[in-house]
């Protein structure tokens, strides 16, 4: 979640509904504890041979209606249907004998004697431009050819994942991308795209790099981009949810056609699956864009946490925290996740500010995904923190860093410990990590290698719960951080050899940690955002990938490619069990600013029974005394592909300045 959205969201609160005074979470929950939970497949629209029917969950409403429209954006309703209440389910329903394909609809409910504004419903699966009216479409007509046989790559071992985070516009908007469908879902269906210098871009670059999954920033329908007036300078990350179950229209070639965004998102996913790449979707179930949301207009306040004075809870920094501990809110989130996995074949979910969601819900999502698709086929990862304290119902156990051991071992969390150890404390701009002069002792290195799962800093059950990363869309890129802590006067666009060595060393460290891996798009070729930290609404010039940089820093990109390929051959780094930490046999500090570990690497198909991994941030070479035995050089200062034609050494080896050396014992 982006803290800089706070001002925007709080402004929306002031313009939204007034708080209910003196109504706490506890009293609110007692008032509605007996409300029925409804999760039938007919929420909120069904079209079949019997016609079109609507069902809205709103137990508190006094009346409810459906407005029908010919147009998805303008015009008055051509018909209004009264809805009938069923107290046993808490739902309102109405139906017509015709199939209303091509029409649009909204709901209105009367609450406390007042008609609330229109809403497309909380379950709109297709919408008109800007998402204010729900659309009635034939979803079977949105499936690409062969969709019934489409499958993701699968991921039986959570820690096999190498996840590449990208924003649709970042990936393709720069002229150097060579991609025709710029900023669209279809950008990742194009093959054979190259930069002006001949560098592979888009999906071909992802295949060559060797990542297992891409993580797409929020791709549901969000509020901050005007789909009716698209222009190149409109930009947002999308952490302002509007319709949770509909693709974002600005990423389609025709936002006014409700079916286009659905079909084109599926086409993107199928193309990635054909390339052997899974899709992880960023989901933001911790807050809505504003308090006056479709959730609020359907059941005022039910879906939201409140402070003791009745004001909205602000643990998200946006003043609209969702009450995930309430039964129907939890059911809605679970059903939404399952819908994306079923309808769009999504392979995993990254939960924004997971520390605001409750542990029982996250475990329930994990269990249900496993039940339907098999253990580990769908990834779950999240941020184990929040922006501030949230007003959850007393006794709620939140999925924060403090409670990770209460989560299923298949729910993974971003590891800030390793991130800060390698490049410096995120919250201190001048702080340096190991690669940029901050030091790293052998014990802390061993804790990083164990994936947060063993030792004095242990906070997870096993490395299956750990996501190792150094950069993501938040904060500086890795390259900009290295520049800032190295020479602030240095131009961010330049790539001097000393900083490139720091980047390679940083990559070597976190790519040799147990757990799964995550990197920001372009990190592999020293991506810069010109020193801007939080670019959620910055111009394209700041955010878009410069693919000519991929050519200029080809050696760095190749180093990442070799590390990914090598990692897939090292079972000692892919062990996801609780005993994985015991594979770290010893840790040493062979010299100043130098640390090393010896690792058990036994496993099926491995030619190397042990690994010796040494890392140095020292400006001079260090002579390493090796453990007894014959060793193969798998990666060194210049190449991460040495394992393809390993050279044998024994007794001692030079560790070059600011570099890593990875050795394997036959």
């Amino acid at each position: 979640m982006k803290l800089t959205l706070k001002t925007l969201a709080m402004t929306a609160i002031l313009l939204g509904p007034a708080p209910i005074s003196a109504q706490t979470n506890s009293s609110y929950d007692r008032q509605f504890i007996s409300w029925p939970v409804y999760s039938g497949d007919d929420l909120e629209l069904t079209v079949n041979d019997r016609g079109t029917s609507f069902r809205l969950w709103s137990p508190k409403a006094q009346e409810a209606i459906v407005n029908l429209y010919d147009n998805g954006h303008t015009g008055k309703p051509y018909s209004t249907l009264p809805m009938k209440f069923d107290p046993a389910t808490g739902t309102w329903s109405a139906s017509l004998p015709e199939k209303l394909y091509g029409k649009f609809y909204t709901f209105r409910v009367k609450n406390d004697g007042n008609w609330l504004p229109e809403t497309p419903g909380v379950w709109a699966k297709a919408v008109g431009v800007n998402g204010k009216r729900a659309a009635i479409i034939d979803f079977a007509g949105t499936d690409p050819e062969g969709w019934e046989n489409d499958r993701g790559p699968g991921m039986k071992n959570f820690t096999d994942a190498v996840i590449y985070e990208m924003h649709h516009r970042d990936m393709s908007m720069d002229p150097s991308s060579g991609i025709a469908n710029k900023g669209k879902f279809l950008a990742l269906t194009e093959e054979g795209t190259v930069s002006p210098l001949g560098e592979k871009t888009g999906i071909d670059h992802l295949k060559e790099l060797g990542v297992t999954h891409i993580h797409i920033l929020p791709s549901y329908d969000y509020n901050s981009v005007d789909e009716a007036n698209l222009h190149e300078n409109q930009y947002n990350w999308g952490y302002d949810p509007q319709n949770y179950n509909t693709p974002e229209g600005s990423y389609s070639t025709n936002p006014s056609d409700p079916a286009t965004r659905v079909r084109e998102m599926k086409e993107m996913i199928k193309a990635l699956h054909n390339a052997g790449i899974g899709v992880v979707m960023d989901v933001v179930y911790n807050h809505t864009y504003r308090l006056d949301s479709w959730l609020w207009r359907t059941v005022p306040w039910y879906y939201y946490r409140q402070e003791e004075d009745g004001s909205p809870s602000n643990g998200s920094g946006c003043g609209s925290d969702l009450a995930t501990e309430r039964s129907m809110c939890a059911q809605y989130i679970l059903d939404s996740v399952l819908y994306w996995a079923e309808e769009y074949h999504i392979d995993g979910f990254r939960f924004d500010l997971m520390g605001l969601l409750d542990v029982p819900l996250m475990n329930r999502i994990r269990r249900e995904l496993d039940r339907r698709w098999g253990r580990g086929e769908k990834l779950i990862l999240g941020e184990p923190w929040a922006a501030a304290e949230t007003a959850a119902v007393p006794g709620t156990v939140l999925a924060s860093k403090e409670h990770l051991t209460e989560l299923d071992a298949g729910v993974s969390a971003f590891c800030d410990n390793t991130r800060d150890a390698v490049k410096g404390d995120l919250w201190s701009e001048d702080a340096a990590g190991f690669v940029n002069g901050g030091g790293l002792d052998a014990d802390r290195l061993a804790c990083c290698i164990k994936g947060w799962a063993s030792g004095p800093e242990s906070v997870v059950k096993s490395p299956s719960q750990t996501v190792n990363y150094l950069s993501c869309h938040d904060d500086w890129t890795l390259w900009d951080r290295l520049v800032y802590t190295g020479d602030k006067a240095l131009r961010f666009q330049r790539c001097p050899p000393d900083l490139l060595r720091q980047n390679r060393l940083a990559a070597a460290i976190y790519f040799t940690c147990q757990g799964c891996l995550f990197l920001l798009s372009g990190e592999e070729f020293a991506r810069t955002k010109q020193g801007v930290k939080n670019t959620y609404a910055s111009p394209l010039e700041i955010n878009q990938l410069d693919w000519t940089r991929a050519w200029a820093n080809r050696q760095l990109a190749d180093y990442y490619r070799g590390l990914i390929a090598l990692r897939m051959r090292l079972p000692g780094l892919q062990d996801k069990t609780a005993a994985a930490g015991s594979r770290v046999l010893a840790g040493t500090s062979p010299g100043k600013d130098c640390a090393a570990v010896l690792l058990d690497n036994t496993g099926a198909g491995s030619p190397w029974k042990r690994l010796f991994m040494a890392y140095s941030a020292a400006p001079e070479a260090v002579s390493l005394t090796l453990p007894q035995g014959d060793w193969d050089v798998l990666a060194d200062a210049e190449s991460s592909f040495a394992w393809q034609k390993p050279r044998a050494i024994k007794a001692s080896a030079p560790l070059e300045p600011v570099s890593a050396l990875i050795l394997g014992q036959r």
Side-chain angles (χ1 to χ4, degrees), residues 29 31-40 43 55-61 85-92 299 302-303 326-332:
D29 284 341
Q31 181 181 357
F32 298 111
I33 196 70
S34 61
W35 279 11
V37 174
Y38 189 85
S39 61
L43 280 176
R55 185 181 294 274
L56 181 71
W57 187 82
S58 186
K60 190 182 179 182
F85 185 59
D86 176 11
T89 61
T91 63
W92 298 80
V299 191
Y302 175 81
Y303 291 97
R326 291 189 183 135
S327 299
M328 194 60 184
C329 187
Q331 187 67 50
Y332 173 71

mmCIF file of all heavy atoms in Angstrom, residues 29 31-40 43 55-61 85-92 299 302-303 326-332:
data_model
loop_
_atom_site.group_PDB
_atom_site.id
_atom_site.type_symbol
_atom_site.label_atom_id
_atom_site.label_comp_id
_atom_site.label_asym_id
_atom_site.label_seq_id
_atom_site.Cartn_x
_atom_site.Cartn_y
_atom_site.Cartn_z
ATOM 1 N N ASP A 29 -20.853 -5.254 15.940
ATOM 2 C CA ASP A 29 -20.848 -6.694 15.705
ATOM 3 C C ASP A 29 -21.938 -7.396 16.500
ATOM 4 O O ASP A 29 -22.535 -8.352 16.030
ATOM 5 C CB ASP A 29 -19.481 -7.270 16.054
ATOM 6 C CG ASP A 29 -18.450 -6.965 14.984
ATOM 7 O OD1 ASP A 29 -18.860 -6.648 13.865
ATOM 8 O OD2 ASP A 29 -17.257 -7.027 15.276
ATOM 9 N N GLN A 31 -24.763 -6.135 17.224
ATOM 10 C CA GLN A 31 -26.034 -5.794 16.593
ATOM 11 C C GLN A 31 -26.318 -6.704 15.393
ATOM 12 O O GLN A 31 -27.455 -7.091 15.156
ATOM 13 C CB GLN A 31 -26.006 -4.330 16.137
ATOM 14 C CG GLN A 31 -27.305 -3.869 15.482
ATOM 15 C CD GLN A 31 -27.205 -2.413 15.037
ATOM 16 O OE1 GLN A 31 -26.205 -1.758 15.258
ATOM 17 N NE2 GLN A 31 -28.255 -1.924 14.400
ATOM 18 N N PHE A 32 -25.260 -7.073 14.655
ATOM 19 C CA PHE A 32 -25.468 -7.798 13.403
ATOM 20 C C PHE A 32 -24.887 -9.210 13.425
ATOM 21 O O PHE A 32 -24.705 -9.819 12.385
ATOM 22 C CB PHE A 32 -24.860 -7.000 12.247
ATOM 23 C CG PHE A 32 -25.493 -5.653 12.065
ATOM 24 C CD1 PHE A 32 -24.793 -4.494 12.350
ATOM 25 C CD2 PHE A 32 -26.804 -5.545 11.629
ATOM 26 C CE1 PHE A 32 -25.386 -3.246 12.191
ATOM 27 C CE2 PHE A 32 -27.404 -4.303 11.461
ATOM 28 C CZ PHE A 32 -26.693 -3.145 11.751
ATOM 29 N N ILE A 33 -24.607 -9.721 14.609
ATOM 30 C CA ILE A 33 -24.002 -11.043 14.710
ATOM 31 C C ILE A 33 -24.908 -12.136 14.160
ATOM 32 O O ILE A 33 -24.450 -13.174 13.702
ATOM 33 C CB ILE A 33 -23.624 -11.354 16.178
ATOM 34 C CG1 ILE A 33 -22.656 -12.538 16.245
ATOM 35 C CG2 ILE A 33 -24.870 -11.637 17.018
ATOM 36 C CD1 ILE A 33 -21.285 -12.247 15.710
ATOM 37 N N SER A 34 -26.211 -11.894 14.196
ATOM 38 C CA SER A 34 -27.147 -12.921 13.740
ATOM 39 C C SER A 34 -27.469 -12.819 12.248
ATOM 40 O O SER A 34 -28.243 -13.619 11.732
ATOM 41 C CB SER A 34 -28.454 -12.819 14.539
ATOM 42 O OG SER A 34 -29.068 -11.555 14.333
ATOM 43 N N TRP A 35 -26.868 -11.848 11.567
ATOM 44 C CA TRP A 35 -27.137 -11.726 10.132
ATOM 45 C C TRP A 35 -26.694 -12.977 9.383
ATOM 46 O O TRP A 35 -25.625 -13.525 9.651
ATOM 47 C CB TRP A 35 -26.397 -10.520 9.563
ATOM 48 C CG TRP A 35 -27.107 -9.218 9.809
ATOM 49 C CD1 TRP A 35 -28.170 -9.000 10.631
ATOM 50 C CD2 TRP A 35 -26.780 -7.964 9.227
ATOM 51 N NE1 TRP A 35 -28.533 -7.683 10.596
ATOM 52 C CE2 TRP A 35 -27.694 -7.018 9.736
ATOM 53 C CE3 TRP A 35 -25.817 -7.534 8.335
ATOM 54 C CZ2 TRP A 35 -27.673 -5.678 9.378
ATOM 55 C CZ3 TRP A 35 -25.777 -6.204 7.977
ATOM 56 C CH2 TRP A 35 -26.700 -5.288 8.488
ATOM 57 N N PRO A 36 -27.481 -13.431 8.410
ATOM 58 C CA PRO A 36 -27.081 -14.611 7.627
ATOM 59 C C PRO A 36 -25.927 -14.274 6.682
ATOM 60 O O PRO A 36 -25.786 -13.142 6.223
ATOM 61 C CB PRO A 36 -28.353 -14.949 6.841
ATOM 62 C CG PRO A 36 -29.087 -13.648 6.724
ATOM 63 C CD PRO A 36 -28.791 -12.898 8.000
ATOM 64 N N VAL A 37 -25.089 -15.264 6.441
ATOM 65 C CA VAL A 37 -24.024 -15.141 5.442
ATOM 66 C C VAL A 37 -24.494 -15.841 4.180
ATOM 67 O O VAL A 37 -24.957 -16.978 4.233
ATOM 68 C CB VAL A 37 -22.719 -15.766 5.950
ATOM 69 C CG1 VAL A 37 -21.665 -15.760 4.848
ATOM 70 C CG2 VAL A 37 -22.221 -15.023 7.177
ATOM 71 N N TYR A 38 -24.384 -15.163 3.056
ATOM 72 C CA TYR A 38 -24.871 -15.733 1.800
ATOM 73 C C TYR A 38 -23.728 -15.724 0.780
ATOM 74 O O TYR A 38 -23.111 -14.683 0.522
ATOM 75 C CB TYR A 38 -26.050 -14.932 1.259
ATOM 76 C CG TYR A 38 -26.729 -15.601 0.079
ATOM 77 C CD1 TYR A 38 -27.705 -16.572 0.273
ATOM 78 C CD2 TYR A 38 -26.381 -15.273 -1.221
ATOM 79 C CE1 TYR A 38 -28.316 -17.203 -0.796
ATOM 80 C CE2 TYR A 38 -26.990 -15.896 -2.303
ATOM 81 C CZ TYR A 38 -27.959 -16.854 -2.084
ATOM 82 O OH TYR A 38 -28.569 -17.482 -3.147
ATOM 83 N N SER A 39 -23.451 -16.869 0.212
ATOM 84 C CA SER A 39 -22.375 -16.950 -0.780
ATOM 85 C C SER A 39 -22.792 -17.748 -2.004
ATOM 86 O O SER A 39 -21.970 -18.389 -2.647
ATOM 87 C CB SER A 39 -21.129 -17.589 -0.157
ATOM 88 O OG SER A 39 -21.416 -18.904 0.283
ATOM 89 N N GLY A 40 -24.078 -17.709 -2.324
ATOM 90 C CA GLY A 40 -24.561 -18.447 -3.486
ATOM 91 C C GLY A 40 -23.987 -17.920 -4.783
ATOM 92 O O GLY A 40 -23.573 -16.758 -4.894
ATOM 93 N N LEU A 43 -25.151 -14.405 -6.604
ATOM 94 C CA LEU A 43 -24.860 -13.020 -6.250
ATOM 95 C C LEU A 43 -24.073 -12.417 -7.399
ATOM 96 O O LEU A 43 -23.046 -12.967 -7.776
ATOM 97 C CB LEU A 43 -24.026 -12.956 -4.961
ATOM 98 C CG LEU A 43 -24.751 -13.112 -3.624
ATOM 99 C CD1 LEU A 43 -23.729 -13.120 -2.488
ATOM 100 C CD2 LEU A 43 -25.751 -12.015 -3.392
ATOM 101 N N ARG A 55 -29.741 -10.676 -7.356
ATOM 102 C CA ARG A 55 -29.829 -10.961 -5.928
ATOM 103 C C ARG A 55 -28.762 -10.138 -5.204
ATOM 104 O O ARG A 55 -27.571 -10.265 -5.482
ATOM 105 C CB ARG A 55 -29.635 -12.441 -5.637
ATOM 106 C CG ARG A 55 -29.843 -12.782 -4.143
ATOM 107 C CD ARG A 55 -29.629 -14.264 -3.879
ATOM 108 N NE ARG A 55 -30.640 -15.082 -4.519
ATOM 109 C CZ ARG A 55 -31.826 -15.377 -3.969
ATOM 110 N NH1 ARG A 55 -32.138 -14.888 -2.773
ATOM 111 N NH2 ARG A 55 -32.683 -16.143 -4.604
ATOM 112 N N LEU A 56 -29.187 -9.309 -4.274
ATOM 113 C CA LEU A 56 -28.306 -8.387 -3.560
ATOM 114 C C LEU A 56 -28.343 -8.679 -2.065
ATOM 115 O O LEU A 56 -29.421 -8.755 -1.466
ATOM 116 C CB LEU A 56 -28.761 -6.943 -3.814
ATOM 117 C CG LEU A 56 -27.924 -5.836 -3.163
ATOM 118 C CD1 LEU A 56 -26.573 -5.721 -3.859
ATOM 119 C CD2 LEU A 56 -28.681 -4.505 -3.233
ATOM 120 N N TRP A 57 -27.182 -8.863 -1.448
ATOM 121 C CA TRP A 57 -27.122 -9.059 0.005
ATOM 122 C C TRP A 57 -27.097 -7.699 0.698
ATOM 123 O O TRP A 57 -26.132 -6.945 0.572
ATOM 124 C CB TRP A 57 -25.887 -9.869 0.385
ATOM 125 C CG TRP A 57 -25.854 -10.247 1.851
ATOM 126 C CD1 TRP A 57 -26.506 -11.293 2.432
ATOM 127 C CD2 TRP A 57 -25.132 -9.594 2.896
ATOM 128 N NE1 TRP A 57 -26.233 -11.329 3.796
ATOM 129 C CE2 TRP A 57 -25.393 -10.293 4.103
ATOM 130 C CE3 TRP A 57 -24.294 -8.479 2.943
ATOM 131 C CZ2 TRP A 57 -24.832 -9.921 5.328
ATOM 132 C CZ3 TRP A 57 -23.745 -8.105 4.166
ATOM 133 C CH2 TRP A 57 -24.026 -8.818 5.347
ATOM 134 N N SER A 58 -28.167 -7.391 1.402
ATOM 135 C CA SER A 58 -28.264 -6.120 2.133
ATOM 136 C C SER A 58 -29.307 -6.274 3.240
ATOM 137 O O SER A 58 -30.430 -5.760 3.148
ATOM 138 C CB SER A 58 -28.640 -4.975 1.184
ATOM 139 O OG SER A 58 -28.603 -3.731 1.858
ATOM 140 N N PRO A 59 -28.955 -6.988 4.328
ATOM 141 C CA PRO A 59 -29.940 -7.298 5.369
ATOM 142 C C PRO A 59 -30.522 -6.075 6.060
ATOM 143 O O PRO A 59 -31.633 -6.143 6.590
ATOM 144 C CB PRO A 59 -29.136 -8.152 6.358
ATOM 145 C CG PRO A 59 -27.977 -8.664 5.576
ATOM 146 C CD PRO A 59 -27.663 -7.593 4.590
ATOM 147 N N LYS A 60 -29.784 -4.964 6.058
ATOM 148 C CA LYS A 60 -30.229 -3.781 6.796
ATOM 149 C C LYS A 60 -31.193 -2.911 5.989
ATOM 150 O O LYS A 60 -31.878 -2.052 6.536
ATOM 151 C CB LYS A 60 -29.008 -2.955 7.209
ATOM 152 C CG LYS A 60 -29.311 -1.836 8.190
ATOM 153 C CD LYS A 60 -28.052 -1.052 8.511
ATOM 154 C CE LYS A 60 -28.354 0.095 9.480
ATOM 155 N NZ LYS A 60 -27.161 0.907 9.762
ATOM 156 N N ALA A 61 -31.246 -3.121 4.668
ATOM 157 C CA ALA A 61 -32.039 -2.252 3.804
ATOM 158 C C ALA A 61 -33.538 -2.373 4.089
ATOM 159 O O ALA A 61 -34.030 -3.441 4.471
ATOM 160 C CB ALA A 61 -31.767 -2.581 2.338
ATOM 161 N N PHE A 85 -37.515 -9.002 -0.489
ATOM 162 C CA PHE A 85 -36.579 -9.371 0.570
ATOM 163 C C PHE A 85 -36.843 -10.779 1.091
ATOM 164 O O PHE A 85 -37.989 -11.176 1.307
ATOM 165 C CB PHE A 85 -36.677 -8.381 1.724
ATOM 166 C CG PHE A 85 -35.670 -8.614 2.820
ATOM 167 C CD1 PHE A 85 -34.306 -8.591 2.545
ATOM 168 C CD2 PHE A 85 -36.076 -8.857 4.128
ATOM 169 C CE1 PHE A 85 -33.369 -8.801 3.540
ATOM 170 C CE2 PHE A 85 -35.143 -9.068 5.131
ATOM 171 C CZ PHE A 85 -33.782 -9.038 4.844
ATOM 172 N N ASP A 86 -35.738 -11.527 1.309
ATOM 173 C CA ASP A 86 -35.806 -12.847 1.926
ATOM 174 C C ASP A 86 -35.027 -12.792 3.238
ATOM 175 O O ASP A 86 -33.788 -12.810 3.237
ATOM 176 C CB ASP A 86 -35.195 -13.895 1.002
ATOM 177 C CG ASP A 86 -35.155 -15.277 1.644
ATOM 178 O OD1 ASP A 86 -35.777 -15.473 2.709
ATOM 179 O OD2 ASP A 86 -34.474 -16.156 1.082
ATOM 180 N N PRO A 87 -35.706 -12.703 4.368
ATOM 181 C CA PRO A 87 -35.003 -12.569 5.655
ATOM 182 C C PRO A 87 -34.123 -13.766 5.987
ATOM 183 O O PRO A 87 -33.167 -13.649 6.748
ATOM 184 C CB PRO A 87 -36.145 -12.408 6.662
ATOM 185 C CG PRO A 87 -37.359 -12.961 5.997
ATOM 186 C CD PRO A 87 -37.172 -12.713 4.543
ATOM 187 N N ALA A 88 -34.410 -14.930 5.431
ATOM 188 C CA ALA A 88 -33.606 -16.114 5.732
ATOM 189 C C ALA A 88 -32.194 -16.013 5.166
ATOM 190 O O ALA A 88 -31.246 -16.578 5.717
ATOM 191 C CB ALA A 88 -34.291 -17.360 5.191
ATOM 192 N N THR A 89 -32.039 -15.294 4.065
ATOM 193 C CA THR A 89 -30.725 -15.144 3.426
ATOM 194 C C THR A 89 -30.173 -13.737 3.519
ATOM 195 O O THR A 89 -29.004 -13.510 3.205
ATOM 196 C CB THR A 89 -30.806 -15.528 1.939
ATOM 197 O OG1 THR A 89 -31.737 -14.649 1.269
ATOM 198 C CG2 THR A 89 -31.271 -16.974 1.774
ATOM 199 N N GLY A 90 -31.016 -12.779 3.928
ATOM 200 C CA GLY A 90 -30.584 -11.380 3.972
ATOM 201 C C GLY A 90 -30.439 -10.763 2.600
ATOM 202 O O GLY A 90 -29.746 -9.758 2.440
ATOM 203 N N THR A 91 -31.095 -11.355 1.589
ATOM 204 C CA THR A 91 -30.922 -10.889 0.219
ATOM 205 C C THR A 91 -32.225 -10.355 -0.368
ATOM 206 O O THR A 91 -33.328 -10.727 0.040
ATOM 207 C CB THR A 91 -30.409 -12.024 -0.693
ATOM 208 O OG1 THR A 91 -31.387 -13.073 -0.740
ATOM 209 C CG2 THR A 91 -29.094 -12.567 -0.187
ATOM 210 N N TRP A 92 -32.074 -9.481 -1.357
ATOM 211 C CA TRP A 92 -33.169 -8.924 -2.149
ATOM 212 C C TRP A 92 -33.051 -9.491 -3.552
ATOM 213 O O TRP A 92 -31.944 -9.614 -4.090
ATOM 214 C CB TRP A 92 -33.078 -7.401 -2.195
ATOM 215 C CG TRP A 92 -33.200 -6.737 -0.853
ATOM 216 C CD1 TRP A 92 -32.235 -6.587 0.092
ATOM 217 C CD2 TRP A 92 -34.378 -6.130 -0.315
ATOM 218 N NE1 TRP A 92 -32.722 -5.927 1.190
ATOM 219 C CE2 TRP A 92 -34.039 -5.627 0.965
ATOM 220 C CE3 TRP A 92 -35.680 -5.955 -0.780
ATOM 221 C CZ2 TRP A 92 -34.955 -4.963 1.781
ATOM 222 C CZ3 TRP A 92 -36.598 -5.298 0.022
ATOM 223 C CH2 TRP A 92 -36.239 -4.814 1.293
ATOM 224 N N VAL A 299 -24.419 -1.880 2.172
ATOM 225 C CA VAL A 299 -24.684 -2.120 3.598
ATOM 226 C C VAL A 299 -23.847 -1.113 4.385
ATOM 227 O O VAL A 299 -22.696 -1.390 4.715
ATOM 228 C CB VAL A 299 -24.318 -3.556 4.028
ATOM 229 C CG1 VAL A 299 -24.870 -3.844 5.430
ATOM 230 C CG2 VAL A 299 -24.832 -4.585 3.046
ATOM 231 N N TYR A 302 -21.124 -1.808 7.404
ATOM 232 C CA TYR A 302 -20.894 -3.207 7.780
ATOM 233 C C TYR A 302 -19.482 -3.671 7.418
ATOM 234 O O TYR A 302 -18.824 -4.378 8.191
ATOM 235 C CB TYR A 302 -21.922 -4.130 7.116
ATOM 236 C CG TYR A 302 -21.630 -5.594 7.388
ATOM 237 C CD1 TYR A 302 -22.021 -6.188 8.586
ATOM 238 C CD2 TYR A 302 -20.915 -6.377 6.468
ATOM 239 C CE1 TYR A 302 -21.733 -7.518 8.852
ATOM 240 C CE2 TYR A 302 -20.622 -7.701 6.729
ATOM 241 C CZ TYR A 302 -21.024 -8.261 7.922
ATOM 242 O OH TYR A 302 -20.723 -9.576 8.198
ATOM 243 N N TYR A 303 -19.004 -3.312 6.231
ATOM 244 C CA TYR A 303 -17.728 -3.816 5.741
ATOM 245 C C TYR A 303 -16.524 -3.052 6.293
ATOM 246 O O TYR A 303 -15.390 -3.360 5.927
ATOM 247 C CB TYR A 303 -17.694 -3.742 4.210
ATOM 248 C CG TYR A 303 -18.639 -4.708 3.525
ATOM 249 C CD1 TYR A 303 -19.898 -4.299 3.092
ATOM 250 C CD2 TYR A 303 -18.266 -6.027 3.288
ATOM 251 C CE1 TYR A 303 -20.757 -5.183 2.441
ATOM 252 C CE2 TYR A 303 -19.112 -6.918 2.642
ATOM 253 C CZ TYR A 303 -20.356 -6.487 2.225
ATOM 254 O OH TYR A 303 -21.202 -7.376 1.588
ATOM 255 N N ARG A 326 -15.412 -9.731 9.967
ATOM 256 C CA ARG A 326 -16.865 -9.906 9.920
ATOM 257 C C ARG A 326 -17.214 -10.956 8.861
ATOM 258 O O ARG A 326 -16.622 -11.011 7.789
ATOM 259 C CB ARG A 326 -17.538 -8.576 9.619
ATOM 260 C CG ARG A 326 -17.391 -7.612 10.792
ATOM 261 C CD ARG A 326 -18.228 -6.366 10.643
ATOM 262 N NE ARG A 326 -17.963 -5.487 11.774
ATOM 263 C CZ ARG A 326 -17.742 -4.177 11.699
ATOM 264 N NH1 ARG A 326 -17.789 -3.585 10.531
ATOM 265 N NH2 ARG A 326 -17.499 -3.478 12.786
ATOM 266 N N SER A 327 -18.210 -11.744 9.160
ATOM 267 C CA SER A 327 -18.472 -12.967 8.403
ATOM 268 C C SER A 327 -18.675 -12.723 6.919
ATOM 269 O O SER A 327 -18.063 -13.383 6.076
ATOM 270 C CB SER A 327 -19.689 -13.692 8.989
ATOM 271 O OG SER A 327 -19.451 -14.059 10.323
ATOM 272 N N MET A 328 -19.531 -11.775 6.563
ATOM 273 C CA MET A 328 -19.835 -11.591 5.149
ATOM 274 C C MET A 328 -18.696 -10.895 4.419
ATOM 275 O O MET A 328 -18.486 -11.131 3.224
ATOM 276 C CB MET A 328 -21.143 -10.807 4.981
ATOM 277 C CG MET A 328 -21.706 -10.851 3.573
ATOM 278 S SD MET A 328 -22.074 -12.552 3.008
ATOM 279 C CE MET A 328 -22.580 -12.252 1.317
ATOM 280 N N CYS A 329 -17.939 -10.050 5.124
ATOM 281 C CA CYS A 329 -16.767 -9.428 4.506
ATOM 282 C C CYS A 329 -15.733 -10.498 4.180
ATOM 283 O O CYS A 329 -15.160 -10.517 3.090
ATOM 284 C CB CYS A 329 -16.176 -8.371 5.433
ATOM 285 S SG CYS A 329 -14.842 -7.404 4.695
ATOM 286 N N ALA A 330 -15.493 -11.405 5.124
ATOM 287 C CA ALA A 330 -14.554 -12.497 4.883
ATOM 288 C C ALA A 330 -15.024 -13.388 3.741
ATOM 289 O O ALA A 330 -14.231 -13.798 2.880
ATOM 290 C CB ALA A 330 -14.382 -13.319 6.158
ATOM 291 N N GLN A 331 -16.324 -13.681 3.711
ATOM 292 C CA GLN A 331 -16.867 -14.524 2.644
ATOM 293 C C GLN A 331 -16.704 -13.851 1.288
ATOM 294 O O GLN A 331 -16.370 -14.497 0.287
ATOM 295 C CB GLN A 331 -18.342 -14.817 2.902
ATOM 296 C CG GLN A 331 -18.958 -15.819 1.940
ATOM 297 C CD GLN A 331 -18.381 -17.210 2.118
ATOM 298 O OE1 GLN A 331 -18.323 -17.726 3.231
ATOM 299 N NE2 GLN A 331 -17.939 -17.812 1.017
ATOM 300 N N TYR A 332 -16.926 -12.550 1.262
ATOM 301 C CA TYR A 332 -16.784 -11.791 0.011
ATOM 302 C C TYR A 332 -15.348 -11.873 -0.513
ATOM 303 O O TYR A 332 -15.115 -12.115 -1.708
ATOM 304 C CB TYR A 332 -17.183 -10.338 0.245
ATOM 305 C CG TYR A 332 -16.928 -9.430 -0.935
ATOM 306 C CD1 TYR A 332 -17.705 -9.521 -2.084
ATOM 307 C CD2 TYR A 332 -15.905 -8.495 -0.899
ATOM 308 C CE1 TYR A 332 -17.463 -8.699 -3.175
ATOM 309 C CE2 TYR A 332 -15.657 -7.661 -1.975
ATOM 310 C CZ TYR A 332 -16.432 -7.763 -3.111
ATOM 311 O OH TYR A 332 -16.191 -6.947 -4.190
#
